């Protein structure tokens, strides 16, 4: 089995920005391979889909509240979502619009209170960049 088998497109507006107060009522998307249909249920209903011998894959990643808005040297607006601290002030991040920023580009935050430099870019739907703050 390959991790890529778990890839699917999910529109950003359908991704929860805050956890549900009642966790078992959070949304559950069910993909039925036989009928090629999608159902939207509550997480508490997951037991209806599990059978003995099934493997449940759990995503245990933590979300940190680290969304930064800045401007390129040209004045164009840029959004950073910090994902993982690599070390010190170096972060892996999702940058929007990422295709407009290249290695060495600088972004300014808060009227110059903070500056980032793109150290590395990676391909993908949401372009990831390694930045130094």
């Amino acid at each position: 089995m390959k991790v890529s088998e778990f890839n699917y497109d999910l529109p950003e507006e359908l991704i929860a920005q805050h956890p549900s107060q009642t966790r078992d009522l959070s949304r559950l998307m069910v993909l039925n391979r036989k009928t090629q249909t999608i159902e939207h249920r509550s997480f508490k209903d997951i037991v209806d889909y599990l059978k003995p011998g099934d493997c449940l894959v759990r995503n245990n990643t933590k979300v940190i509240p680290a969304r930064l808005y800045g401007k390129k040297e040209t004045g164009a607006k840029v959004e950073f979502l910090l994902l993982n601290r690599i070390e010190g002030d170096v972060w892996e991040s999702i940058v929007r619009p990422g295709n407009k920023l290249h290695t060495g580009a600088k972004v300014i935050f808060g009227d110059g209170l903070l500056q980032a430099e793109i150290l590395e870019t990676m391909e993908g739907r949401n372009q990831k960049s390694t930045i130094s703050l």
Side-chain angles (χ1 to χ4, degrees):
M1 182 176 289
K2 297 179 183 177
V3 174
S4 62
E5 293 178 21
F6 295 99
N7 289 345
Y8 58 91
D9 288 323
L10 181 61
E12 189 169 337
E13 65 271 9
L14 296 180
I15 299 172
Q17 299 300 308
H18 304 282
S20 173
Q21 293 288 357
T22 314
R23 294 294 176 112
D24 65 338
L25 293 179
S26 57
R27 295 184 292 187
L28 174 68
M29 182 172 68
V30 180
L31 306 173
N32 187 321
R33 290 184 179 191
K34 289 180 184 173
T35 63
Q36 298 291 304
T37 58
I38 297 174
E39 291 181 66
H40 297 282
R41 306 282 300 267
S42 294
F43 188 77
K44 66 181 172 68
D45 299 327
I46 195 166
V47 295
D48 296 340
Y49 299 95
L50 298 175
K51 298 181 219 106
D54 284 351
C55 175
L56 177 64
V57 178
R58 184 174 75 102
N59 178 350
N60 63 354
T61 57
K62 303 281 185 204
V63 176
I64 58 173
R67 193 175 303 264
L68 301 172
Y69 299 93
K71 292 183 180 178
K72 295 184 347 180
E73 293 171 313
T74 62
K77 294 180 182 177
V78 183
E79 176 185 346
F80 285 79
L81 179 61
L82 302 182
L83 301 174
N84 298 308
R85 181 188 303 239
I86 296 172
E87 65 177 80
D89 291 337
V90 178
W91 288 80
E92 176 185 13
S93 62
I94 294 176
V95 183
R96 291 191 187 117
N99 59 345
K100 304 286 185 184
L101 290 171
H102 303 288
T103 302
K106 293 185 177 27
V107 177
I108 298 178
F109 304 93
D111 295 326
L113 294 173
L114 182 65
Q115 181 174 315
E117 179 180 351
I118 305 296
L119 301 176
E120 175 186 14
T121 60
M122 293 154 257
E123 301 274 336
R125 181 172 159 240
N126 291 317
Q127 185 169 348
K128 290 185 180 179
S129 296
T130 304
I131 62 169
S132 175
L133 295 174

